[in-house]
Amino acid sequence: MRFKLESALPFGLLFPSVAFLALLILAPIGQAFLLAFQTETGEFALAAFQRMASDTAFNEAVRNTFLLLLTIVPLQIVLALAMALLIHARLRGQTLFLYVFAIPMAISDLAAGLVWLSIFTERGYLNSILQSLGWIQQPLLLLSYQNPQGIFAAVVVAESWRATAIVMVILVAGLQMIPRDFFEAAELFGAGTLKRTWYVVLPLLRPSLQTALIIRTLFAFQTFAVVFALAGRTLPVLAGEAYTWYYSNRNPAVAAAMAFLILLLSLLATVVYLRVLQVREEERAR
Amino acid sequence: MASIRFESVRKVFGKVVAADDVTLEIKDGEFMVLLGPSGCGKTTLLRCLAGLERVDGGRVFIGEREVTDLAPRDRKIAMVFQSYAVFPHLTVFDNIAFGLKMQDRPRDEIKRRVAESARLLELADFLERYPAQLSGGQRQRVAVARAIVMQAAVLLMDEPLSNLDALLRLQMRAELKRLHQEIKATTIYVTHDQVEALSLGDRIAVMQNGRIVQCDAPMQLYDFPANKFVGGFIGTPPMNFLPGVVRVSDAKPVAVVGEAQIAPSAAFAPALALKNGQPILLGIRPENLVLTSSPQPNTIRARVLVVEPLGSHKLLTVQVGAEIAKVSVTPDERVAPNDDVWLRFDPEKIRWMDASTGETIR
Ligand SMILES: Nc1ncnc2c1ncn2[C@@H]1O[C@H](COP(=O)(O)OP(=O)(O)OP(=O)(O)O)[C@@H](O)[C@H]1O
Ligand SMILES: [Mg+2]
């Protein structure tokens, strides 16, 4: 009896999360798959994908998504690492740092986009401040469609503000798992802050960096609300195009194809990270 | 010059006083052993010297330079951590080379010195391995190699041989001693192993509850423990302590222990004469007790409880009145459990201690 219970227990414990995943993730994926690959008559075809790729905004959306990813992810990793190391240094007031740094995590991405919109817009906070300081005469049109670099920069700032905290939390947790001895030994044997970070902290932090990179990159492929709030469709991105296909163009099939493309890219990125940042068995602390 | 000086160093963790007003001076090139029970503050003292722990009071000097507020890497110290702290992501070679690399030494110098240290610690075959692929003892030797390769003026070792088997330990002990004679680094060496302490130390500092209770040359420490704690801590088996009362008649003191009367040597008689009627502890090492089969002056009756033949000698556990004592005798001594024997005290070898404070009477 006891034996039976024990062997059934793991499955019992797994059941809720499996059911949850099946209902809310797997089922929609299946549905999206059918939507993307099935024509109205029920045959399997790549028509939706062809339609998606032939759209004028598509190439731009792909380019923008990757540009944003390549700008934001490294920026966030560096920022988050600096913040995590600052907290880990156990300076006075470190908990305050942690709370302040973590505030953006509590804000939804659309709200974050709107916050930054109110800052960057023509009559926003930024322009008011600059004008009252007398640094500019005319308000800067940062978010104008004639100023794509301005929009891009605003999105980068807003996205970094919004999603750096999650990376930081992962890295802080990772740092706390590393025994202090290693840092002490490094310092004692003559490594200054930079060398210590490069030769000891980063290598030992690799598992956490891997997690953070995967999460951040997946988020970056899904970047949508912040861009939408700040730029509308002036700066098309993949997730935004999926939304447009669904609601504006009323074409669920192409929207699903788009979602499938994002899923594929995410999987690919995850595999790359897992490979490149792999921590070999023998390098693990025992 | 790398002498070391602790001046009234104090370190507190919450309610625990891990270093309590420690003052200790270690000469340039000296090999100082720290000995003491678990939790008495040995590691804390090393960490205060290395700068890994900020002192709560007092000052630390290396040479003539005050280092109390200096960062660890500016103190020019090499250390073997009690927990090894061998980097898991680096091979044995890179672990040993770590400190030299941080100093940007030329490659061939690093190679040569790492090879030398690895040979000394018998790690030459493992240089390409990662720490997770080593046994505990091998990992500990990597930690030792990483420290000695630095040839730093100050070398701190926190139980560096604790995890090795007896034979390797014996061998490494000799290597460390030879190395010290060669390099003459000022060394502080923490150990629980008394043999290690006695064989390696120029001096031994015995710690208890964050304080240094005695710091002396090994044989001095062994022969003249400053108090009951040191006598009971040093020596395997430790010193025996028998309670007695001082009785003075005709200005001649004796200690009454049970039915027996033990007279002190001339050197201690005046001090004891001042303690008429007071309780006293009579401390004597197991090897300084002699068995006789009949009562004589300065003897005490005892009953043999256990006989342990240990090769070079026999260890007896005997009952003296209500006390248990250990006696070390030659292997050919004919003695069996339940024998009644008399123990003769060599008055020169008795250490007298105040029964209430445990301090040795000098
Ligand atoms: N970081 C710390 N926080 C709180 N208490 C500590 C800390 N480090 C040490 N202590 C306490 O200080 C005392 C001395 O510890 P220390 O590590 O110096 O002992 P030790 O003599 O090295 O013991 P062992 O022989 O077991 O290694 C102990 O009571 C310990 O619990
Ligand atoms: Mg210790």
Side-chain angles (χ1 to χ4, degrees), chain A residues 181-182 184-193 195-196 199-200 203-204 280-286, chain B residues 47 50 52 72-73 77 79 81 83 85-89 98-99 102 104 130 132-134 139 146 150:
Chain A
D181 292 7
F182 294 133
E184 289 176 350
E187 160 130 49
L188 193 86
F189 284 101
T193 311
K195 280 185 170 172
R196 201 160 66 233
Y199 289 109
V200 179
L204 291 177
R280 279 176 299 165
E281 191 52 44
E282 63 265 27
E283 289 180 63
R284 280 179 215 277
R286 202 171 55 174
Chain B
R47 290 172 58 87
L52 300 173
R73 68 173 180 283
I77 284 176
M79 177 165 169
F81 286 70
S83 58
V86 167
F87 301 119
H89 62 289
F98 187 85
M102 292 304 113
D104 295 319
Y130 285 91
Q133 299 167 312
L134 300 177
R139 238 175 294 161
R146 181 177 65 179
M150 299 304 292

Side-chain angles (χ1 to χ4, degrees), chain A residues 112-125:
Chain A
L114 293 175
V115 166
W116 284 95
L117 181 66
S118 70
I119 294 175
F120 287 136
T121 190
E122 189 178 344
R123 293 174 196 284
Y125 293 110

Side-chain angles (χ1 to χ4, degrees), chain A residues 65-66 69 216-223 238-239 262 265-266 269:
Chain A
T65 303
F66 274 93
L69 186 142
R216 256 321 296 160
T217 306
L218 298 198
F219 278 6
F221 280 126
Q222 297 164 19
T223 310
L238 284 177
I262 294 174
L265 288 173
S266 302

Side-chain angles (χ1 to χ4, degrees), chain B residues 13 16 18 36-45 53 82 158-159 192:
Chain B
F13 295 108
V16 180
S38 186
C40 70
K42 306 179 295 290
T43 300
T44 303
L45 203 59
E53 219 70 75
Q82 186 170 10
D158 202 343
E159 305 191 23
H192 280 282

Side-chain angles (χ1 to χ4, degrees), chain A residues 240-254:
Chain A
E241 289 308 292
Y243 175 85
T244 308
W245 276 109
Y246 193 88
Y247 280 104
S248 310
N249 304 354
R250 304 202 175 272
N251 192 333
V254 180

